[in-house]
Amino acid sequence: MSGYDGWMREAIADAALALRTGDVPVAALVLAEDGAVIGRGRNERELHQDPTAHAEVVAIRAAAAATGDWRLTRATLVVTLEPCVMCAGAILSARIPRVVFGTWDEKAGAVGSVYDVLRDRRLNHRVEVIAGVEAEACSSLLLDFFRARRG
């Protein structure tokens, strides 16, 4: 157990809500230093026809609005799927110091599988990464979604 299992289970429950809109079931929480949820998001690309409406971006926007600051320097992002390049860029831009994710994205992941943007030493901000929290549950949700889409 990583200490983030409960938060990840909450994110998994949120991810299941994305199924209602036909979105890929991914969800993210932004936690304040004291563990309070200050941002919550799930994939909403289909819902809003917005290619940038990934769970991480939605959650980061909500956290910035809640705190009144785009710098989330004491926050932790918990997300069910390894962030992509766009989301890794948003994480770096928000100065989030820690990312916890559930399952790897072997096709588009940017936190260690395909790329490792968050720990790239050429950039001015690096992020602590905790991977594999509730990985099986996160992976199952996605596998079931894509199996159902393929028929």
mmCIF file of all heavy atoms in Angstrom, residues 54 56 60 77-92 96-120 123 125-132:
data_model
loop_
_atom_site.group_PDB
_atom_site.id
_atom_site.type_symbol
_atom_site.label_atom_id
_atom_site.label_comp_id
_atom_site.label_asym_id
_atom_site.label_seq_id
_atom_site.Cartn_x
_atom_site.Cartn_y
_atom_site.Cartn_z
ATOM 1 N N HIS A 54 -8.907 16.280 -20.898
ATOM 2 C CA HIS A 54 -8.428 15.080 -20.213
ATOM 3 C C HIS A 54 -8.653 15.265 -18.713
ATOM 4 O O HIS A 54 -8.685 16.393 -18.211
ATOM 5 C CB HIS A 54 -6.944 14.866 -20.470
ATOM 6 C CG HIS A 54 -6.630 14.399 -21.845
ATOM 7 N ND1 HIS A 54 -5.485 13.695 -22.140
ATOM 8 C CD2 HIS A 54 -7.287 14.535 -23.028
ATOM 9 C CE1 HIS A 54 -5.445 13.407 -23.419
ATOM 10 N NE2 HIS A 54 -6.534 13.920 -23.981
ATOM 11 N N GLU A 56 -6.792 14.989 -16.117
ATOM 12 C CA GLU A 56 -5.779 15.770 -15.400
ATOM 13 C C GLU A 56 -5.966 17.270 -15.617
ATOM 14 O O GLU A 56 -5.872 18.054 -14.674
ATOM 15 C CB GLU A 56 -4.361 15.375 -15.862
ATOM 16 C CG GLU A 56 -4.016 13.929 -15.639
ATOM 17 C CD GLU A 56 -4.300 13.027 -16.844
ATOM 18 O OE1 GLU A 56 -5.302 13.262 -17.559
ATOM 19 O OE2 GLU A 56 -3.521 12.090 -17.057
ATOM 20 N N ILE A 60 -6.798 19.941 -12.772
ATOM 21 C CA ILE A 60 -5.849 21.045 -12.525
ATOM 22 C C ILE A 60 -6.565 22.386 -12.643
ATOM 23 O O ILE A 60 -6.357 23.279 -11.818
ATOM 24 C CB ILE A 60 -4.638 20.953 -13.484
ATOM 25 C CG1 ILE A 60 -3.756 19.762 -13.097
ATOM 26 C CG2 ILE A 60 -3.835 22.254 -13.478
ATOM 27 C CD1 ILE A 60 -2.703 19.402 -14.138
ATOM 28 N N LEU A 77 -1.224 15.169 -7.540
ATOM 29 C CA LEU A 77 -2.204 14.740 -8.537
ATOM 30 C C LEU A 77 -2.296 13.221 -8.496
ATOM 31 O O LEU A 77 -1.277 12.530 -8.610
ATOM 32 C CB LEU A 77 -1.788 15.189 -9.938
ATOM 33 C CG LEU A 77 -2.725 14.753 -11.053
ATOM 34 C CD1 LEU A 77 -3.967 15.636 -11.088
ATOM 35 C CD2 LEU A 77 -2.023 14.772 -12.388
ATOM 36 N N VAL A 78 -3.494 12.703 -8.308
ATOM 37 C CA VAL A 78 -3.764 11.267 -8.325
ATOM 38 C C VAL A 78 -4.601 11.003 -9.565
ATOM 39 O O VAL A 78 -5.665 11.607 -9.737
ATOM 40 C CB VAL A 78 -4.528 10.835 -7.044
ATOM 41 C CG1 VAL A 78 -4.886 9.355 -7.111
ATOM 42 C CG2 VAL A 78 -3.709 11.148 -5.798
ATOM 43 N N VAL A 79 -4.141 10.108 -10.436
ATOM 44 C CA VAL A 79 -4.848 9.848 -11.690
ATOM 45 C C VAL A 79 -4.811 8.359 -12.003
ATOM 46 O O VAL A 79 -3.823 7.683 -11.713
ATOM 47 C CB VAL A 79 -4.265 10.709 -12.841
ATOM 48 C CG1 VAL A 79 -2.801 10.399 -13.098
ATOM 49 C CG2 VAL A 79 -5.082 10.577 -14.112
ATOM 50 N N THR A 80 -5.880 7.865 -12.593
ATOM 51 C CA THR A 80 -6.008 6.430 -12.814
ATOM 52 C C THR A 80 -5.119 5.893 -13.934
ATOM 53 O O THR A 80 -4.793 4.707 -13.944
ATOM 54 C CB THR A 80 -7.475 6.054 -13.104
ATOM 55 O OG1 THR A 80 -7.944 6.797 -14.231
ATOM 56 C CG2 THR A 80 -8.357 6.330 -11.891
ATOM 57 N N LEU A 81 -4.710 6.734 -14.869
ATOM 58 C CA LEU A 81 -3.886 6.320 -16.004
ATOM 59 C C LEU A 81 -2.672 7.225 -16.111
ATOM 60 O O LEU A 81 -2.768 8.442 -15.898
ATOM 61 C CB LEU A 81 -4.715 6.408 -17.298
ATOM 62 C CG LEU A 81 -4.030 6.050 -18.609
ATOM 63 C CD1 LEU A 81 -3.643 4.572 -18.640
ATOM 64 C CD2 LEU A 81 -4.954 6.378 -19.793
ATOM 65 N N GLU A 82 -1.554 6.655 -16.481
ATOM 66 C CA GLU A 82 -0.333 7.433 -16.699
ATOM 67 C C GLU A 82 -0.631 8.618 -17.619
ATOM 68 O O GLU A 82 -1.201 8.441 -18.695
ATOM 69 C CB GLU A 82 0.730 6.532 -17.338
ATOM 70 C CG GLU A 82 2.013 7.241 -17.686
ATOM 71 C CD GLU A 82 2.980 6.357 -18.466
ATOM 72 O OE1 GLU A 82 2.612 5.216 -18.837
ATOM 73 O OE2 GLU A 82 4.105 6.829 -18.729
ATOM 74 N N PRO A 83 -0.255 9.831 -17.219
ATOM 75 C CA PRO A 83 -0.527 11.009 -18.046
ATOM 76 C C PRO A 83 0.165 10.972 -19.413
ATOM 77 O O PRO A 83 1.262 10.429 -19.557
ATOM 78 C CB PRO A 83 0.017 12.163 -17.195
ATOM 79 C CG PRO A 83 -0.091 11.655 -15.790
ATOM 80 C CD PRO A 83 0.258 10.195 -15.898
ATOM 81 N N CYS A 84 -0.503 11.595 -20.385
ATOM 82 C CA CYS A 84 0.046 11.744 -21.732
ATOM 83 C C CYS A 84 0.969 12.969 -21.773
ATOM 84 O O CYS A 84 1.144 13.673 -20.780
ATOM 85 C CB CYS A 84 -1.092 11.892 -22.743
ATOM 86 S SG CYS A 84 -1.977 13.474 -22.603
ATOM 87 N N VAL A 85 1.519 13.256 -22.934
ATOM 88 C CA VAL A 85 2.428 14.392 -23.087
ATOM 89 C C VAL A 85 1.730 15.712 -22.760
ATOM 90 O O VAL A 85 2.286 16.565 -22.052
ATOM 91 C CB VAL A 85 3.020 14.424 -24.518
ATOM 92 C CG1 VAL A 85 3.819 15.688 -24.752
ATOM 93 C CG2 VAL A 85 3.888 13.202 -24.751
ATOM 94 N N MET A 86 0.501 15.908 -23.253
ATOM 95 C CA MET A 86 -0.216 17.151 -22.969
ATOM 96 C C MET A 86 -0.420 17.327 -21.470
ATOM 97 O O MET A 86 -0.183 18.403 -20.918
ATOM 98 C CB MET A 86 -1.573 17.167 -23.680
ATOM 99 C CG MET A 86 -2.404 18.405 -23.350
ATOM 100 S SD MET A 86 -4.057 18.377 -24.057
ATOM 101 C CE MET A 86 -4.842 17.101 -23.093
ATOM 102 N N CYS A 87 -0.863 16.269 -20.811
ATOM 103 C CA CYS A 87 -1.138 16.359 -19.378
ATOM 104 C C CYS A 87 0.156 16.518 -18.576
ATOM 105 O O CYS A 87 0.181 17.247 -17.581
ATOM 106 C CB CYS A 87 -1.928 15.146 -18.919
ATOM 107 S SG CYS A 87 -3.592 15.137 -19.644
ATOM 108 N N ALA A 88 1.217 15.868 -19.023
ATOM 109 C CA ALA A 88 2.515 16.052 -18.360
ATOM 110 C C ALA A 88 2.940 17.518 -18.464
ATOM 111 O O ALA A 88 3.441 18.092 -17.488
ATOM 112 C CB ALA A 88 3.567 15.133 -18.970
ATOM 113 N N GLY A 89 2.710 18.140 -19.604
ATOM 114 C CA GLY A 89 3.013 19.561 -19.758
ATOM 115 C C GLY A 89 2.189 20.418 -18.815
ATOM 116 O O GLY A 89 2.703 21.364 -18.205
ATOM 117 N N ALA A 90 0.907 20.093 -18.663
ATOM 118 C CA ALA A 90 0.046 20.839 -17.733
ATOM 119 C C ALA A 90 0.520 20.661 -16.290
ATOM 120 O O ALA A 90 0.528 21.619 -15.508
ATOM 121 C CB ALA A 90 -1.405 20.386 -17.883
ATOM 122 N N ILE A 91 0.936 19.467 -15.934
ATOM 123 C CA ILE A 91 1.449 19.185 -14.587
ATOM 124 C C ILE A 91 2.697 20.022 -14.324
ATOM 125 O O ILE A 91 2.830 20.647 -13.261
ATOM 126 C CB ILE A 91 1.735 17.677 -14.427
ATOM 127 C CG1 ILE A 91 0.418 16.889 -14.415
ATOM 128 C CG2 ILE A 91 2.578 17.397 -13.184
ATOM 129 C CD1 ILE A 91 0.571 15.402 -14.723
ATOM 130 N N LEU A 92 3.599 20.055 -15.288
ATOM 131 C CA LEU A 92 4.813 20.868 -15.141
ATOM 132 C C LEU A 92 4.472 22.349 -15.049
ATOM 133 O O LEU A 92 5.031 23.070 -14.217
ATOM 134 C CB LEU A 92 5.765 20.615 -16.309
ATOM 135 C CG LEU A 92 6.413 19.240 -16.366
ATOM 136 C CD1 LEU A 92 7.160 19.073 -17.681
ATOM 137 C CD2 LEU A 92 7.335 19.021 -15.183
ATOM 138 N N ILE A 96 3.164 21.127 -10.093
ATOM 139 C CA ILE A 96 2.734 20.071 -9.171
ATOM 140 C C ILE A 96 3.950 19.197 -8.846
ATOM 141 O O ILE A 96 4.608 18.696 -9.755
ATOM 142 C CB ILE A 96 1.584 19.244 -9.792
ATOM 143 C CG1 ILE A 96 0.349 20.139 -9.961
ATOM 144 C CG2 ILE A 96 1.271 18.014 -8.947
ATOM 145 C CD1 ILE A 96 -0.787 19.504 -10.716
ATOM 146 N N PRO A 97 4.247 19.003 -7.570
ATOM 147 C CA PRO A 97 5.466 18.275 -7.205
ATOM 148 C C PRO A 97 5.350 16.754 -7.168
ATOM 149 O O PRO A 97 6.364 16.058 -7.154
ATOM 150 C CB PRO A 97 5.784 18.806 -5.804
ATOM 151 C CG PRO A 97 4.457 19.174 -5.245
ATOM 152 C CD PRO A 97 3.639 19.666 -6.413
ATOM 153 N N ARG A 98 4.117 16.211 -7.150
ATOM 154 C CA ARG A 98 3.965 14.755 -7.018
ATOM 155 C C ARG A 98 2.786 14.275 -7.858
ATOM 156 O O ARG A 98 1.702 14.841 -7.793
ATOM 157 C CB ARG A 98 3.728 14.363 -5.566
ATOM 158 C CG ARG A 98 3.600 12.865 -5.328
ATOM 159 C CD ARG A 98 3.396 12.513 -3.849
ATOM 160 N NE ARG A 98 4.454 13.085 -3.024
ATOM 161 C CZ ARG A 98 4.294 14.133 -2.200
ATOM 162 N NH1 ARG A 98 3.121 14.705 -2.058
ATOM 163 N NH2 ARG A 98 5.306 14.600 -1.505
ATOM 164 N N VAL A 99 3.017 13.179 -8.590
ATOM 165 C CA VAL A 99 1.970 12.534 -9.368
ATOM 166 C C VAL A 99 1.914 11.064 -8.968
ATOM 167 O O VAL A 99 2.943 10.389 -8.904
ATOM 168 C CB VAL A 99 2.224 12.655 -10.887
ATOM 169 C CG1 VAL A 99 1.268 11.774 -11.686
ATOM 170 C CG2 VAL A 99 2.108 14.103 -11.327
ATOM 171 N N VAL A 100 0.713 10.620 -8.692
ATOM 172 C CA VAL A 100 0.447 9.227 -8.349
ATOM 173 C C VAL A 100 -0.487 8.696 -9.429
ATOM 174 O O VAL A 100 -1.533 9.294 -9.677
ATOM 175 C CB VAL A 100 -0.251 9.138 -6.964
ATOM 176 C CG1 VAL A 100 -0.588 7.697 -6.622
ATOM 177 C CG2 VAL A 100 0.604 9.796 -5.886
ATOM 178 N N PHE A 101 -0.085 7.609 -10.094
ATOM 179 C CA PHE A 101 -1.000 7.073 -11.103
ATOM 180 C C PHE A 101 -1.176 5.577 -10.941
ATOM 181 O O PHE A 101 -0.369 4.890 -10.319
ATOM 182 C CB PHE A 101 -0.589 7.467 -12.525
ATOM 183 C CG PHE A 101 0.644 6.813 -13.078
ATOM 184 C CD1 PHE A 101 0.565 5.587 -13.721
ATOM 185 C CD2 PHE A 101 1.868 7.443 -12.994
ATOM 186 C CE1 PHE A 101 1.695 4.995 -14.256
ATOM 187 C CE2 PHE A 101 3.011 6.864 -13.525
ATOM 188 C CZ PHE A 101 2.924 5.632 -14.167
ATOM 189 N N GLY A 102 -2.274 5.106 -11.541
ATOM 190 C CA GLY A 102 -2.654 3.717 -11.394
ATOM 191 C C GLY A 102 -1.984 2.785 -12.381
ATOM 192 O O GLY A 102 -1.136 1.982 -12.019
ATOM 193 N N THR A 103 -2.354 2.894 -13.642
ATOM 194 C CA THR A 103 -1.847 1.948 -14.628
ATOM 195 C C THR A 103 -1.059 2.666 -15.720
ATOM 196 O O THR A 103 -1.278 3.843 -15.988
ATOM 197 C CB THR A 103 -3.011 1.110 -15.230
ATOM 198 O OG1 THR A 103 -2.470 0.019 -15.966
ATOM 199 C CG2 THR A 103 -3.927 1.947 -16.103
ATOM 200 N N TRP A 104 -0.134 1.940 -16.289
ATOM 201 C CA TRP A 104 0.722 2.474 -17.346
ATOM 202 C C TRP A 104 -0.052 2.597 -18.650
ATOM 203 O O TRP A 104 -0.950 1.810 -18.922
ATOM 204 C CB TRP A 104 1.919 1.539 -17.567
ATOM 205 C CG TRP A 104 2.825 1.465 -16.385
ATOM 206 C CD1 TRP A 104 2.785 0.529 -15.383
ATOM 207 C CD2 TRP A 104 3.884 2.351 -16.066
ATOM 208 N NE1 TRP A 104 3.763 0.802 -14.463
ATOM 209 C CE2 TRP A 104 4.460 1.905 -14.858
ATOM 210 C CE3 TRP A 104 4.416 3.479 -16.679
ATOM 211 C CZ2 TRP A 104 5.534 2.546 -14.251
ATOM 212 C CZ3 TRP A 104 5.490 4.117 -16.078
ATOM 213 C CH2 TRP A 104 6.037 3.652 -14.884
ATOM 214 N N ASP A 105 0.336 3.582 -19.467
ATOM 215 C CA ASP A 105 -0.210 3.749 -20.814
ATOM 216 C C ASP A 105 0.932 3.479 -21.789
ATOM 217 O O ASP A 105 1.716 4.376 -22.101
ATOM 218 C CB ASP A 105 -0.770 5.158 -20.993
ATOM 219 C CG ASP A 105 -1.433 5.358 -22.342
ATOM 220 O OD1 ASP A 105 -1.221 4.523 -23.255
ATOM 221 O OD2 ASP A 105 -2.153 6.355 -22.499
ATOM 222 N N GLU A 106 1.011 2.244 -22.240
ATOM 223 C CA GLU A 106 2.138 1.810 -23.085
ATOM 224 C C GLU A 106 2.129 2.439 -24.472
ATOM 225 O O GLU A 106 3.113 2.346 -25.191
ATOM 226 C CB GLU A 106 2.141 0.275 -23.209
ATOM 227 C CG GLU A 106 2.306 -0.446 -21.881
ATOM 228 C CD GLU A 106 3.664 -0.227 -21.218
ATOM 229 O OE1 GLU A 106 4.642 0.075 -21.924
ATOM 230 O OE2 GLU A 106 3.736 -0.352 -19.987
ATOM 231 N N LYS A 107 1.028 3.093 -24.854
ATOM 232 C CA LYS A 107 0.941 3.706 -26.184
ATOM 233 C C LYS A 107 1.171 5.206 -26.170
ATOM 234 O O LYS A 107 1.652 5.771 -27.143
ATOM 235 C CB LYS A 107 -0.420 3.403 -26.817
ATOM 236 C CG LYS A 107 -0.605 1.942 -27.117
ATOM 237 C CD LYS A 107 -1.931 1.694 -27.776
ATOM 238 C CE LYS A 107 -2.066 0.209 -28.071
ATOM 239 N NZ LYS A 107 -3.347 -0.123 -28.666
ATOM 240 N N ALA A 108 0.791 5.878 -25.083
ATOM 241 C CA ALA A 108 0.876 7.340 -25.071
ATOM 242 C C ALA A 108 1.371 7.917 -23.749
ATOM 243 O O ALA A 108 1.302 9.114 -23.544
ATOM 244 C CB ALA A 108 -0.501 7.929 -25.403
ATOM 245 N N GLY A 109 1.873 7.087 -22.872
ATOM 246 C CA GLY A 109 2.302 7.558 -21.555
ATOM 247 C C GLY A 109 3.547 8.432 -21.614
ATOM 248 O O GLY A 109 4.478 8.156 -22.369
ATOM 249 N N ALA A 110 3.539 9.472 -20.792
ATOM 250 C CA ALA A 110 4.669 10.408 -20.785
ATOM 251 C C ALA A 110 5.305 10.535 -19.404
ATOM 252 O O ALA A 110 5.928 11.540 -19.075
ATOM 253 C CB ALA A 110 4.202 11.774 -21.277
ATOM 254 N N VAL A 111 5.136 9.481 -18.584
ATOM 255 C CA VAL A 111 5.682 9.512 -17.227
ATOM 256 C C VAL A 111 6.500 8.235 -16.981
ATOM 257 O O VAL A 111 6.545 7.710 -15.885
ATOM 258 C CB VAL A 111 4.544 9.672 -16.193
ATOM 259 C CG1 VAL A 111 5.088 9.852 -14.786
ATOM 260 C CG2 VAL A 111 3.675 10.879 -16.545
ATOM 261 N N GLY A 112 7.101 7.716 -18.052
ATOM 262 C CA GLY A 112 7.975 6.579 -17.881
ATOM 263 C C GLY A 112 7.823 5.471 -18.899
ATOM 264 O O GLY A 112 8.760 4.718 -19.123
ATOM 265 N N SER A 113 6.663 5.347 -19.533
ATOM 266 C CA SER A 113 6.515 4.235 -20.472
ATOM 267 C C SER A 113 7.025 4.594 -21.867
ATOM 268 O O SER A 113 7.977 3.999 -22.341
ATOM 269 C CB SER A 113 5.069 3.744 -20.517
ATOM 270 O OG SER A 113 4.211 4.768 -20.929
ATOM 271 N N VAL A 114 6.408 5.564 -22.534
ATOM 272 C CA VAL A 114 6.864 5.994 -23.851
ATOM 273 C C VAL A 114 7.874 7.134 -23.706
ATOM 274 O O VAL A 114 8.937 7.122 -24.320
ATOM 275 C CB VAL A 114 5.671 6.433 -24.739
ATOM 276 C CG1 VAL A 114 6.166 6.906 -26.103
ATOM 277 C CG2 VAL A 114 4.683 5.284 -24.905
ATOM 278 N N TYR A 115 7.532 8.111 -22.886
ATOM 279 C CA TYR A 115 8.393 9.243 -22.571
ATOM 280 C C TYR A 115 8.477 9.362 -21.052
ATOM 281 O O TYR A 115 7.716 8.723 -20.334
ATOM 282 C CB TYR A 115 7.811 10.560 -23.123
ATOM 283 C CG TYR A 115 7.580 10.549 -24.604
ATOM 284 C CD1 TYR A 115 6.292 10.388 -25.120
ATOM 285 C CD2 TYR A 115 8.634 10.703 -25.497
ATOM 286 C CE1 TYR A 115 6.071 10.378 -26.488
ATOM 287 C CE2 TYR A 115 8.412 10.692 -26.869
ATOM 288 C CZ TYR A 115 7.131 10.531 -27.357
ATOM 289 O OH TYR A 115 6.920 10.515 -28.704
ATOM 290 N N ASP A 116 9.378 10.217 -20.582
ATOM 291 C CA ASP A 116 9.439 10.507 -19.148
ATOM 292 C C ASP A 116 9.595 12.017 -18.968
ATOM 293 O O ASP A 116 10.593 12.506 -18.460
ATOM 294 C CB ASP A 116 10.568 9.749 -18.463
ATOM 295 C CG ASP A 116 10.388 9.675 -16.965
ATOM 296 O OD1 ASP A 116 9.456 10.315 -16.436
ATOM 297 O OD2 ASP A 116 11.182 8.979 -16.308
ATOM 298 N N VAL A 117 8.572 12.729 -19.392
ATOM 299 C CA VAL A 117 8.590 14.185 -19.393
ATOM 300 C C VAL A 117 8.732 14.752 -17.978
ATOM 301 O O VAL A 117 9.477 15.711 -17.765
ATOM 302 C CB VAL A 117 7.308 14.743 -20.076
ATOM 303 C CG1 VAL A 117 7.229 16.252 -19.960
ATOM 304 C CG2 VAL A 117 7.260 14.298 -21.531
ATOM 305 N N LEU A 118 8.049 14.156 -17.009
ATOM 306 C CA LEU A 118 8.039 14.735 -15.667
ATOM 307 C C LEU A 118 9.382 14.668 -14.951
ATOM 308 O O LEU A 118 9.619 15.420 -14.017
ATOM 309 C CB LEU A 118 6.966 14.062 -14.795
ATOM 310 C CG LEU A 118 5.532 14.241 -15.258
ATOM 311 C CD1 LEU A 118 4.577 13.636 -14.240
ATOM 312 C CD2 LEU A 118 5.196 15.702 -15.498
ATOM 313 N N ARG A 119 10.258 13.795 -15.388
ATOM 314 C CA ARG A 119 11.568 13.679 -14.732
ATOM 315 C C ARG A 119 12.716 14.016 -15.669
ATOM 316 O O ARG A 119 13.863 13.661 -15.403
ATOM 317 C CB ARG A 119 11.716 12.276 -14.151
ATOM 318 C CG ARG A 119 10.708 12.035 -13.022
ATOM 319 C CD ARG A 119 10.760 10.642 -12.496
ATOM 320 N NE ARG A 119 10.111 9.752 -13.469
ATOM 321 C CZ ARG A 119 9.696 8.525 -13.190
ATOM 322 N NH1 ARG A 119 9.857 8.033 -11.998
ATOM 323 N NH2 ARG A 119 9.126 7.783 -14.114
ATOM 324 N N ASP A 120 12.403 14.726 -16.745
ATOM 325 C CA ASP A 120 13.424 15.115 -17.718
ATOM 326 C C ASP A 120 14.327 16.182 -17.106
ATOM 327 O O ASP A 120 13.875 17.272 -16.767
ATOM 328 C CB ASP A 120 12.742 15.651 -18.983
ATOM 329 C CG ASP A 120 13.717 15.856 -20.127
ATOM 330 O OD1 ASP A 120 14.864 16.298 -19.880
ATOM 331 O OD2 ASP A 120 13.327 15.584 -21.275
ATOM 332 N N LEU A 123 14.477 20.007 -18.103
ATOM 333 C CA LEU A 123 13.416 20.955 -17.754
ATOM 334 C C LEU A 123 13.670 21.546 -16.375
ATOM 335 O O LEU A 123 14.410 20.997 -15.568
ATOM 336 C CB LEU A 123 12.057 20.249 -17.807
ATOM 337 C CG LEU A 123 11.710 19.648 -19.178
ATOM 338 C CD1 LEU A 123 10.433 18.841 -19.094
ATOM 339 C CD2 LEU A 123 11.599 20.731 -20.232
ATOM 340 N N HIS A 125 11.611 21.894 -13.863
ATOM 341 C CA HIS A 125 10.792 21.358 -12.769
ATOM 342 C C HIS A 125 10.697 19.849 -12.950
ATOM 343 O O HIS A 125 10.401 19.369 -14.037
ATOM 344 C CB HIS A 125 9.397 21.997 -12.817
ATOM 345 C CG HIS A 125 8.461 21.509 -11.758
ATOM 346 N ND1 HIS A 125 8.624 21.800 -10.428
ATOM 347 C CD2 HIS A 125 7.354 20.735 -11.833
ATOM 348 C CE1 HIS A 125 7.647 21.241 -9.729
ATOM 349 N NE2 HIS A 125 6.865 20.592 -10.563
ATOM 350 N N ARG A 126 10.985 19.108 -11.897
ATOM 351 C CA ARG A 126 10.847 17.659 -11.938
ATOM 352 C C ARG A 126 9.842 17.235 -10.880
ATOM 353 O O ARG A 126 9.651 17.910 -9.877
ATOM 354 C CB ARG A 126 12.193 16.982 -11.736
ATOM 355 C CG ARG A 126 12.965 16.868 -13.032
ATOM 356 C CD ARG A 126 14.378 16.407 -12.832
ATOM 357 N NE ARG A 126 15.239 17.352 -12.142
ATOM 358 C CZ ARG A 126 15.670 18.502 -12.631
ATOM 359 N NH1 ARG A 126 15.298 18.881 -13.825
ATOM 360 N NH2 ARG A 126 16.451 19.288 -11.935
ATOM 361 N N VAL A 127 9.236 16.108 -11.124
ATOM 362 C CA VAL A 127 8.111 15.661 -10.321
ATOM 363 C C VAL A 127 8.409 14.285 -9.727
ATOM 364 O O VAL A 127 8.940 13.415 -10.417
ATOM 365 C CB VAL A 127 6.843 15.586 -11.215
ATOM 366 C CG1 VAL A 127 5.652 15.084 -10.452
ATOM 367 C CG2 VAL A 127 6.558 16.950 -11.845
ATOM 368 N N GLU A 128 8.042 14.110 -8.480
ATOM 369 C CA GLU A 128 8.088 12.778 -7.876
ATOM 370 C C GLU A 128 6.945 11.969 -8.480
ATOM 371 O O GLU A 128 5.809 12.452 -8.568
ATOM 372 C CB GLU A 128 7.906 12.871 -6.365
ATOM 373 C CG GLU A 128 7.833 11.526 -5.677
ATOM 374 C CD GLU A 128 7.460 11.615 -4.209
ATOM 375 O OE1 GLU A 128 7.228 12.727 -3.689
ATOM 376 O OE2 GLU A 128 7.383 10.545 -3.581
ATOM 377 N N VAL A 129 7.233 10.741 -8.882
ATOM 378 C CA VAL A 129 6.227 9.885 -9.515
ATOM 379 C C VAL A 129 6.069 8.604 -8.707
ATOM 380 O O VAL A 129 7.054 7.939 -8.392
ATOM 381 C CB VAL A 129 6.617 9.546 -10.968
ATOM 382 C CG1 VAL A 129 5.631 8.555 -11.579
ATOM 383 C CG2 VAL A 129 6.707 10.807 -11.813
ATOM 384 N N ILE A 130 4.828 8.295 -8.386
ATOM 385 C CA ILE A 130 4.493 7.041 -7.715
ATOM 386 C C ILE A 130 3.551 6.303 -8.653
ATOM 387 O O ILE A 130 2.437 6.771 -8.931
ATOM 388 C CB ILE A 130 3.833 7.293 -6.347
ATOM 389 C CG1 ILE A 130 4.786 8.084 -5.443
ATOM 390 C CG2 ILE A 130 3.402 5.976 -5.700
ATOM 391 C CD1 ILE A 130 4.145 8.618 -4.171
ATOM 392 N N ALA A 131 3.995 5.166 -9.176
ATOM 393 C CA ALA A 131 3.238 4.431 -10.193
ATOM 394 C C ALA A 131 2.681 3.128 -9.640
ATOM 395 O O ALA A 131 3.200 2.567 -8.680
ATOM 396 C CB ALA A 131 4.148 4.130 -11.380
ATOM 397 N N GLY A 132 1.615 2.663 -10.261
ATOM 398 C CA GLY A 132 1.087 1.343 -9.970
ATOM 399 C C GLY A 132 0.141 1.244 -8.789
ATOM 400 O O GLY A 132 -0.132 0.149 -8.306
#
